[in-house]
């Protein structure tokens, strides 16, 4: 071979070796940087026990050293270098994904443990479906109905925004929602100004059940304001892995994001957790319980009145929390707020949940969504939409609300079981994405990670116990609606039993040591409360019995 060709060949080989060394150096550098960053993120996340963090860190360092040493110094031949290059590349990709998932986990915790910076109030100007009014301009010279006594601030803000768009109109004020909607239906006014939080309240009454289909929105105003810290203040325990605590899971009857505003609390479930004993008591409080409102002057709801528990959600989850604390004489440590979209997304991210339907409890079609397949006796695998429909179903059961509460407890238990199983690993990414907008809570990131760390380390065998409060159906005045609605009158004995069962779990005992006694419903209105109802225009005079004597329901 000519001398020039030999020298050229040597230069080519030298250049190839230089390129290989350069690639190896880059891979080595990336592996050690990514490994160090991953160890840092694991420590920062504080999700694993320290002894496990040390083991994981050592394994990562040892693996990085082995791969890089073999790749740079031991692999001489082409095949060996190729294999080690592939291994190093795979390790780089794995470390990259690992860092991303840890970052995503930390980001998710940070999002769900901090309430939204702003809360939204949406108010609509609504017309009949067959109206030729389609946009704001169509409201010019029209008459808009209002209920200023009920929602003065949001109503005036919306009407001002409409005026700012050079739309002139007149207004007619009414005393309650019934009169307002009747005036719209009868054609006495052209439109009504309605805070969207009241839409579902109308929908729950039989007379206005078709309100959503008979009307349409011509104009809408959304106002954002800073969320106060005390909007969801917690009552933390000293050590969430040792001290028993109670959590309120409040389910809003809305879709979309939780920032879209306060709506009714469709489901109210208390979880009393005793980590030492591995016990979780699920206590369901009926949404239609007729309860004392914990209202203060200028707090939005009528002071000294009663209403359905579900309506407390309109004033915020803190009002629901205070109501249940007063009702059961307990302390609630933490709150989780979710809505319909939350549940659908989480169940789907978990890959669905399994529930077992008892004999005689099959449902062919769900009342809340007749387009979905019902449930049959035995084991059923439910996706997000069917799990939500199953949790909301009551029309198909003789003891409607009570069975609905049992279904909600059953779905929640199935979700907990799926989330704590090894199967969660394959759905980890989708679950994190679902959790980002799924709920908000006043439990801190450190409390959540401490509890997860406890689950990983101690792996307790959780025992679930259930209790559902009961009552009798009746008609009572709702301050929110301004007329009579169907409510549930509570039983004194069940209130006492719920308190004692919760206390038993907090004390390290089983709630089953407390027996529930059947009883008649307790009173609903005292003489003072009736006077308050009359004062706020919700009652014109005290109720009377058949002989014309005044009736006072309370003590």
């Amino acid at each position: 071979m000519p001398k020039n060709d030999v020298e050229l060949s040597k230069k080519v080989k030298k250049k190839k070796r230089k390129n290989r060394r350069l690639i190896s150096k880059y891979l080595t550098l990336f592996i050690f940087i990514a490994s160090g960053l991953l160890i840092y993120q694991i420590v920062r996340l504080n999700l694993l026990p320290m002894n496990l963090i040390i083991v994981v860190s050592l394994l990562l360092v040892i693996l990085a050293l082995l791969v890089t040493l073999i790749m740079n110094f031991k692999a001489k031949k082409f095949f060996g270098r190729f294999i080690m290059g592939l291994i190093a590349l795979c390790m780089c990709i794995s470390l990259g994904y690992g860092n991303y998932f840890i970052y995503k986990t930390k980001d998710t915790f940070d999002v769900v443990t901090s309430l939204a910076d702003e809360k939204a109030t949406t108010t609509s100007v609504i017309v009949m479906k067959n109206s030729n009014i389609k946009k704001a301009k169509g409201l010019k010279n029209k008459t808009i109905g209002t209920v200023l006594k009920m929602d003065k601030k949001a109503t005036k803000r919306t009407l001002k925004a409409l005026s700012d768009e050079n739309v002139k109109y007149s207004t007619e004020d009414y005393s309650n929602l019934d009169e307002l909607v009747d005036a719209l239906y009868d054609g006495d006014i052209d439109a009504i100004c309605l805070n969207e939080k009241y839409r579902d309240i109308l929908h729950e009454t039989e007379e206005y059940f078709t309100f959503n289909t008979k009307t349409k929105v011509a104009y809408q105003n959304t106002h954002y304001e800073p969320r106060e810290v005390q909007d969801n203040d917690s009552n933390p325990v000293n050590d969430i892995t040792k001290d028993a605590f109670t959590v309120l899971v409040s389910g809003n009857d809305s879709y979309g994001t939780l920032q879209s505003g306060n709506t009714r609390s469709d489901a109210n479930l208390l979880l009393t957790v005793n980590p030492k004993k591995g016990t979780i008591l699920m206590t369901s409080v009926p949404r239609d319980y007729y309860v004392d409102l914990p209202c203060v002057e200028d707090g939005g709801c009528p002071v000294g009145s009663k209403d359905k528990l579900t309506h407390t959600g309109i004033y915020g989850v803190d009002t629901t929390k205070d109501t249940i604390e007063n009702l059961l004489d307990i302390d609630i440590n933490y709150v989780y707020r979710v809505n319909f979209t939350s549940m659908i997304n989480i169940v789907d991210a978990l890959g669905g949940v399994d529930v077992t339907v008892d004999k005689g409890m099959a449902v062919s079609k769900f009342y809340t969504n007749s387009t979905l397949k019902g449930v049959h006796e035995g084991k059923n695998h439910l996706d997000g939409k069917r799990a939500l429909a199953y949790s909301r179903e009551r029309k198909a059961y003789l003891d409607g609300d009570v069975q609905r509460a049992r279904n909600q407890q059953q779905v929640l238990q199935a979700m907990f079981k799926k989330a704590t199983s090894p199967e969660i690993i394959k759905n980890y990414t989708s679950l994190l994405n679902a959790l980002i907008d799924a709920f908000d809570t006043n439990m801190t990131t450190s409390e959540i990670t401490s509890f997860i760390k406890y689950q990983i380390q101690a792996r307790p065998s959780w025992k679930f116990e259930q209790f559902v409060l009961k009552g009798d159906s009746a008609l009572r005045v709702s301050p929110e609606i301004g007329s009579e609605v169907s409510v549930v009158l509570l039983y004194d004995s069940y209130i006492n039993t719920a308190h004692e069962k919760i206390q038993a779990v907090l004390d390290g005992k089983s709630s089953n040591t407390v027996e529930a006694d059947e009883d008649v419903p307790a009173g609903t209105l005292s003489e003072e409360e009736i006077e308050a109802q009359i004062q706020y225009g919700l009652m014109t005079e005290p109720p009377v019995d058949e002989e014309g004597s005044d009736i006072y329901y309370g003590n």
Side-chain angles (χ1 to χ4, degrees), residues 280 350 353 411-421 451 455 462 464:
I280 298 178
L350 289 170
V353 294
V411 170
L412 183 64
Q413 188 173 345
M415 291 170 66
F416 184 87
K417 181 179 179 182
K418 196 75 173 285
T420 55
S421 69
F451 194 76
Q455 173 70 28
W462 293 103
F464 282 85

Side-chain angles (χ1 to χ4, degrees), residues 286-329:
R287 65 190 291 279
D288 291 336
Y289 252 8
Y290 200 53
V291 293
D292 293 305
L293 297 177
C295 300
V296 295
E297 292 294 340
D298 300 323
C301 57
V303 178
S305 290
K306 285 178 172 283
D307 205 341
K308 297 166 71 166
L309 176 61
T310 183
H311 292 169
T312 61
I314 293 171
Y315 306 109
V317 70
D318 53 320
T319 303
T320 304
K321 170 180 170 288
D322 292 343
T323 301
I324 296 176
E325 284 185 325
N326 294 340
L327 176 68
L328 301 182
D329 189 23

Side-chain angles (χ1 to χ4, degrees), residues 144-150 155 171-175 179-180:
I144 301 174
T146 62
V147 184
L148 293 177
K149 181 178 69 174
M150 195 161 112
T155 299
T171 61
E172 183 74 29
D173 196 48
Y174 295 88
S175 60
E179 290 184 7
L180 179 72

Side-chain angles (χ1 to χ4, degrees), residues 62-267:
I62 292 171
L63 185 60
L65 285 171
L66 282 175
V67 171
T68 55
L69 286 173
I70 295 173
M71 179 178 63
N72 286 285
F73 301 105
K74 293 293 183 181
K76 300 293 185 180
K77 297 182 179 181
F78 171 79
F79 183 74
R81 291 195 303 269
F82 178 76
I83 294 298
M84 290 310 302
L86 282 180
I87 292 174
L89 183 60
C90 290
M91 188 172 179
C92 288
I93 294 172
S94 299
L95 288 169
Y97 272 111
N99 274 287
Y100 170 75
F101 289 140
I102 298 295
Y103 171 80
K104 185 85 171 177
T105 302
K106 181 69 168 62
D107 183 58
T108 300
F109 286 156
D110 289 341
V111 170
V112 301
T113 56
S114 60
L115 291 172
D117 294 332
E118 296 178 322
K119 55 183 177 182
T121 301
T122 301
T123 308
S124 302
V125 178
I126 297 171
V127 298
M128 295 301 293
K129 195 82 169 181
N130 58 4
S131 171
N132 58 5
I133 301 173
K134 296 180 180 180
K135 296 181 180 180
K137 291 182 179 180
L139 294 166
K140 189 174 182 179
N141 300 324
K142 303 296 183 182
T143 302
I144 301 174
T146 62
V147 184
L148 293 177
K149 181 178 69 174
M150 195 161 112
D151 196 33
K152 185 176 182 179
K153 188 175 180 181
T155 299
K156 286 199 168 185
R157 183 171 55 231
T158 301
L159 294 178
K160 182 181 182 304
L162 189 60
S163 296
D164 291 343
E165 296 192 19
N166 297 318
V167 176
K168 295 181 179 180
Y169 54 84
S170 60
T171 61
E172 183 74 29
D173 196 48
Y174 295 88
S175 60
N176 56 53
L177 279 178
D178 285 9
E179 290 184 7
L180 179 72
V181 178
D182 286 343
L184 178 66
Y185 281 5
D186 294 339
D188 297 334
I189 53 179
D190 302 294
I192 62 173
C193 189
L194 183 74
N195 190 322
E196 282 295 332
K197 69 181 182 181
Y198 296 120
R199 181 183 290 272
D200 288 320
I201 290 179
L202 285 171
H203 187 66
E204 76 182 55
T205 60
E206 187 173 347
E207 186 176 358
Y208 306 116
F209 185 76
T210 58
F211 177 78
N212 291 345
T213 57
K214 293 177 70 172
T215 62
K216 63 183 179 182
V217 174
Y219 177 76
Q220 196 166 71
N221 173 262
T222 301
H223 175 73
Y224 295 92
E225 57 187 348
R227 188 181 292 276
E228 302 291 339
V229 174
Q230 60 266 28
D231 278 355
N232 197 1
D233 198 13
S234 66
N235 177 26
V237 293
N238 291 327
D239 188 340
I240 203 167
T241 66
K242 296 178 181 178
D243 302 326
F245 58 92
T246 297
V247 180
L248 167 63
V249 180
S250 179
N252 288 14
D253 63 343
S254 64
Y255 292 90
T257 66
L258 290 166
Q259 191 194 35
S260 59
N262 295 322
T263 60
R264 296 180 305 171
S265 53
D266 191 66

